[in-house]
């Protein structure tokens, strides 16, 4: 049997930070889709409140929020939703219109109230005043009459963090008959979870911890008299909202996080996760960090400077699920092709932020690449290689271009195109090794750059090359310095006049080249999301503005 009950529970006041959480989204290097999801969830709505005097009701007045104050004059009744806690007392009363003094019946709403008139509304002595001006006039009259004024509402609600189950951190609160509800002293934290014989829900609405009678009974931290522990536990989502603070101090058991370490390592430079957490974990983590920052306990109000969401791997064009029968068992492919081949294929199959369609026949191409690297590196390191001295300078420039290309793509999480660069290089090295003119330096660089993508293969090749230690401890190949092409300038790239990215280009770069470079920026491509600008205004050394 399911029934609705009113229970005392614990909340964190996330709603107090709604506007700050909204404002700071503009400063974060996050995907626009993730930021939009948070903006929609926080849900700022601008409007006005109007307070109606009530007659024939125990309540003296009721406050109403509206996004259309211009429509107040057209009211014929006041509707009360069925979920209103005083519904039965309100329905049948009479409300006094705060602007006209007109008596309006209070009625039960058959559904969600809506259908405000749009455009021009009759506003008594204001003639056919446009709705925007009428709204401002109505709000000002409410303010002057002391019956309301401008107001903002948010969709974001306070965060319910208590649970009536056994597993979880007990809420660190005690209740004393004399002193009321008090926090457990900091020296007694964390509150240990008691051992109980039966941790299943009791089915009576009483939390399982209530059965631990000896644990519940405690002493008041203020007066020392008998008190009771709270028997709710905190939800695991609250722990997930601050784990990044705990990581640098996980070896410390006398504090949650060390100030020096926290100020050194936080905020997180780059966070990669699922976009399904956009309005759950990511928003909760932002709130926790901001609340702790207000208390002076952390260095910044935002926990994650940069966030990138990974894509989804599909099978036959659909998301994998057991019900569709299209789930991929990785062990099967690891056994047949090896873990490195599978890992390389998953990163090569599409953009990291988009994902791709898993196709079994496509793994063969990656398998051939792995075999080519295995063969080419060992051949290139052999004593029988005799490269033409005249070709060495160009080979060195090619090697440096590879390092720069792979380095830049890894920074952008463009793993698929980084692997494509390595594939092209491996084909050339394989041909050169077969003809006896390969360079050992090319083989060493290929193994180093491939190591993050194929750790097992490259570790074995590193040993066969006779290099010291592990490839994963070796220095990353140094990116060659950018050629000095004279003075450079920073050109902002805007979409509909709002700056969204920047270009670092040689001074005097032409308009056509600026347009090409701007449209090629990953950030701009992400924001355009397939849309084509109707017009591009590119002013050399000044700005590029993409007009949608």
């Amino acid at each position: 049997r399911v029934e609705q009950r009113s229970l005392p529970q614990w909340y964190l006041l996330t709603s107090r930070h709604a506007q700050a959480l909204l404002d700071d989204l503009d400063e974060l290097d996050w995907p626009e889709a993730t930021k939009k999801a948070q903006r929609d969830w926080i849900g700022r709505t601008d409007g006005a409140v109007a307070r109606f005097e009530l007659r024939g009701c125990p309540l003296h007045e009721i406050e109403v929020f509206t996004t259309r104050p211009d429509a107040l004059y057209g009211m014929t009744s006041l509707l009360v939703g069925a979920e209103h806690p005083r519904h039965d007392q309100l329905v049948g009363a009479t409300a006094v219109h705060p602007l006209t003094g007109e008596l309006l019946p209070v009625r039960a709403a058959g559904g969600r109230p809506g259908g405000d008139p749009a455009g021009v509304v009759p506003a008594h002595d204001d003639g056919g005043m446009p709705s925007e001006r009428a709204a401002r006039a109505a709000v000002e009259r409410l303010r002057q009459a002391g019956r309301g004024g401008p107001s903002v509402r948010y969709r974001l609600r306070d965060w319910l963090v208590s649970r009536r189950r056994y597993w979880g951190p007990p809420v660190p609160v005690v209740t004393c008959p004399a002193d009321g509800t008090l926090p457990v002293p900091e020296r007694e934290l964390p509150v240990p979870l008691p051992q109980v014989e039966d941790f299943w829900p009791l089915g009576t609405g009483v939390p399982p911890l209530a059965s631990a009678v000896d644990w519940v009974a405690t002493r008041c931290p203020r007066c020392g008299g008998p008190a009771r522990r709270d028997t709710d536990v905190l939800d695991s989502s609250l722990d997930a909202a601050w784990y990044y603070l705990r990581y640098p101090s996980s070896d410390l058991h006398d504090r949650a996080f060390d100030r020096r370490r926290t100020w050194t390592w936080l905020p997180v430079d780059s966070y990669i996760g699922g976009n399904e957490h956009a309005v759950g974990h990511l928003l909760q983590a932002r709130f926790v960090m901001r609340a702790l920052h207000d208390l002076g306990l952390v260095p910044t109000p935002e926990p994650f400077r940069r966030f990138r969401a990974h894509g989804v791997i599909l099978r036959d064009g659909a998301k994998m699920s057991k019900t569709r029968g299209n789930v991929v068992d990785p062990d099967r492919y690891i056994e047949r092709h090896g873990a490195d081949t599978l890992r390389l294929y998953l990163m090569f199959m599409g953009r990291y932020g988009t994902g791709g369609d898993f196709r079994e026949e496509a793994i063969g191409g990656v398998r051939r690449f792995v075999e080519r690297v295995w063969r080419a590196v060992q051949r290139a390191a052999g004593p029988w290689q005799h490269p033409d001295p005249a070709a060495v300078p160009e080979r060195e420039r090619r090697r440096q271009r590879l390092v720069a290309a792979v380095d830049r793509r890894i920074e952008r999480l463009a793993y698929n195109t980084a692997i494509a660069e390595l594939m092209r290089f491996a084909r050339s090295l394989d041909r050169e090794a077969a003809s006896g003119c390969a360079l050992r330096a090319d083989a060493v660089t290929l193994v180093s750059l491939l190591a993050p993508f194929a750790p097992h293969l490259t570790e074995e090749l590193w040993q066969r090359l006779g290099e010291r230690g592990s490839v994963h401890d070796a220095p990353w190949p140094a990116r060659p310095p950018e050629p000095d092409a004279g003075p450079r300038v920073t050109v902002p790239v805007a979409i509909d006049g709002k700056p969204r990215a920047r270009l670092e280009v040689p001074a005097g770069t032409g308009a056509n080249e600026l347009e090409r470079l701007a449209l090629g920026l990953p950030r701009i491509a992400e924001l355009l999301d397939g849309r084509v600008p109707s017009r591009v205004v590119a002013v050399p050394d000044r700005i590029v503005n993409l007009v949608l």
Side-chain angles (χ1 to χ4, degrees):
R1 185 168 67 92
V2 177
E3 61 181 77
Q4 188 172 358
R5 292 182 179 180
S6 179
L7 301 173
Q9 294 180 298
W10 291 98
Y11 290 81
L12 295 180
L13 300 179
T14 49
S15 59
R16 288 188 181 179
H17 297 272
Q19 190 58 50
L21 290 168
L22 203 57
D23 291 340
D24 279 7
L25 282 171
D26 293 334
E27 307 302 320
L28 297 178
D29 181 12
W30 287 23
E32 199 58 36
T34 308
K35 295 200 281 190
K36 183 180 184 303
Q38 291 208 3
R39 288 189 185 103
D40 292 344
W41 190 263
I42 295 170
R44 175 181 169 125
T45 303
D46 291 272
V49 293
R51 289 187 292 276
F52 291 76
E53 179 188 343
L54 295 175
R55 297 178 182 176
C57 176
L59 301 177
H60 297 298
E61 67 176 21
I62 188 171
E63 188 176 89
V64 174
F65 175 78
T66 178
T67 59
R68 293 292 310 275
D70 57 310
L72 284 171
Y73 287 107
M75 288 183 62
T76 57
S77 62
L78 191 63
L79 301 181
V80 179
E83 71 280 1
H84 196 286
R86 310 294 286 273
H87 176 275
D88 293 340
Q89 293 176 314
L90 289 167
V91 173
T94 301
V96 180
H97 197 294
L99 295 176
T100 67
E102 183 181 0
L103 299 181
L104 305 173
V106 181
R107 295 181 175 141
R112 175 181 286 277
D116 284 344
V120 178
V121 296
H124 284 265
D125 58 341
D126 291 316
M129 183 184 295
S131 61
E132 187 176 337
R133 287 178 53 204
R136 290 197 299 267
V139 172
E140 178 59 22
R141 290 176 182 175
L142 285 170
R143 190 189 64 78
Q144 291 177 355
R147 302 304 297 174
S151 184
V152 176
R153 291 288 190 271
Y154 299 92
R155 183 173 179 263
L156 182 68
R157 296 291 178 261
D158 290 331
W159 180 11
L160 172 63
V161 294
S162 61
R163 297 291 184 270
R164 297 202 155 195
R165 56 185 177 225
Y166 173 72
W167 299 110
V171 175
V173 164
V174 299
T175 301
C176 170
D179 294 306
T181 301
L182 299 168
V184 171
E186 189 172 342
R187 65 181 180 275
E188 297 179 18
L189 295 178
V191 177
L193 194 66
Q195 294 290 331
V196 297
E197 302 227 344
D198 186 4
F199 52 78
W200 292 102
L202 304 176
T204 60
V206 177
L209 286 182
S211 61
V213 179
D214 293 339
W215 176 84
V216 172
T218 187
R219 290 286 172 181
C220 173
R222 180 174 295 169
C223 70
R228 290 177 54 82
R229 295 188 187 276
D230 197 285
T231 53
D232 279 6
V233 297
L234 296 170
D235 187 52
S236 57
S237 62
L238 180 57
D239 293 328
W242 72 276
Y243 73 90
Y244 50 90
L245 290 166
R246 178 62 179 163
Y247 274 162
S249 306
S250 59
D251 59 322
L252 303 178
H253 303 291
D254 60 342
R255 73 206 86 162
F257 45 86
D258 177 72
R259 182 182 178 90
R260 181 184 58 80
R261 296 184 189 181
T262 302
W263 252 254
T264 299
W265 290 104
L266 270 292
V268 175
D269 293 301
S270 185
Y271 187 111
I272 297 175
N275 211 33
E276 68 272 16
H277 299 299
V279 296
H281 161 66
L282 287 172
L283 186 57
Q284 292 161 354
R286 292 186 64 215
F287 160 74
V288 167
M289 189 77 167
R290 181 168 298 277
L292 293 174
H293 181 259
D294 289 349
L295 296 171
L297 298 175
V298 294
T300 62
E302 288 291 339
F304 315 126
R305 286 193 180 116
R306 180 175 184 252
F307 170 73
R308 293 293 182 268
H310 58 67
V312 176
I313 299 176
L314 307 176
R315 184 79 183 273
D316 301 324
K319 189 174 181 179
M320 293 186 197
S321 70
K322 292 180 181 178
T323 55
R324 291 192 181 98
N326 63 347
V327 176
V328 171
D329 178 9
D331 291 342
R332 172 187 166 197
Y333 296 94
I334 290 173
E335 184 178 347
R336 183 184 303 175
H337 302 288
D340 280 351
T341 300
L342 178 61
R343 181 185 290 105
L344 276 164
Y345 172 64
L346 293 176
M347 287 185 280
F348 183 63
M349 67 192 299
R351 291 174 54 192
Y352 184 81
T354 304
D357 202 334
F358 188 95
R359 294 186 297 115
E360 190 164 343
E361 63 274 14
I363 300 179
V366 177
R367 173 66 179 265
R368 288 189 292 275
F369 164 59
V370 169
E371 292 170 348
R372 182 179 294 117
V373 170
W374 178 258
R375 178 179 64 242
V377 167
Q378 294 184 85
R379 281 181 175 178
W384 51 85
Q385 299 292 328
H386 300 286
D388 180 3
V392 171
E394 176 53 36
R395 297 273 189 88
E396 175 59 17
R397 286 191 289 272
R398 183 187 69 178
R399 189 190 70 82
Q400 291 190 4
R401 287 196 299 270
L402 174 71
V403 172
V406 172
D407 215 28
R408 284 195 297 266
R409 284 159 175 76
I410 289 178
E411 283 179 354
R412 300 200 307 262
L413 307 185
Y415 302 138
N416 56 330
T417 56
I419 293 170
E421 293 284 345
L422 294 168
M423 286 178 168
R424 282 192 287 270
F425 189 85
R427 280 196 293 270
S428 298
L429 182 65
D430 193 31
R431 285 195 300 269
E432 292 155 6
S435 61
C437 64
L439 286 171
R440 175 186 170 82
D442 286 346
V444 172
T445 298
L446 176 61
V447 172
S448 296
L449 296 176
L450 186 60
F453 305 104
H456 305 293
L457 168 71
T458 53
E459 184 72 356
E460 178 66 25
L461 286 173
W462 192 254
Q463 302 302 320
R464 292 188 177 221
L465 284 169
E467 296 293 321
R468 302 172 69 178
S470 167
V471 65
H472 305 297
D473 293 329
W476 183 253
R479 184 193 296 190
E482 298 289 340
D484 185 8
R488 299 177 69 82
V489 294
T490 300
V491 178
V493 180
I495 297 178
D496 288 335
K498 187 171 183 179
R500 292 296 194 178
R502 294 182 300 176
L503 282 172
E504 299 287 338
V505 295
T509 300
N512 291 337
E513 179 65 5
L514 285 174
E515 177 181 342
R516 186 187 70 80
L517 292 172
L519 292 173
L521 289 172
R523 175 69 173 153
I524 295 300
E526 179 184 33
L527 292 172
L528 291 177
D529 194 23
R531 295 175 293 175
V532 178
S534 61
R535 186 162 57 96
V536 178
V537 179
V539 181
D541 298 345
R542 297 291 299 276
I543 193 171
V544 180
N545 185 31
L546 310 176
V547 182
L548 298 180

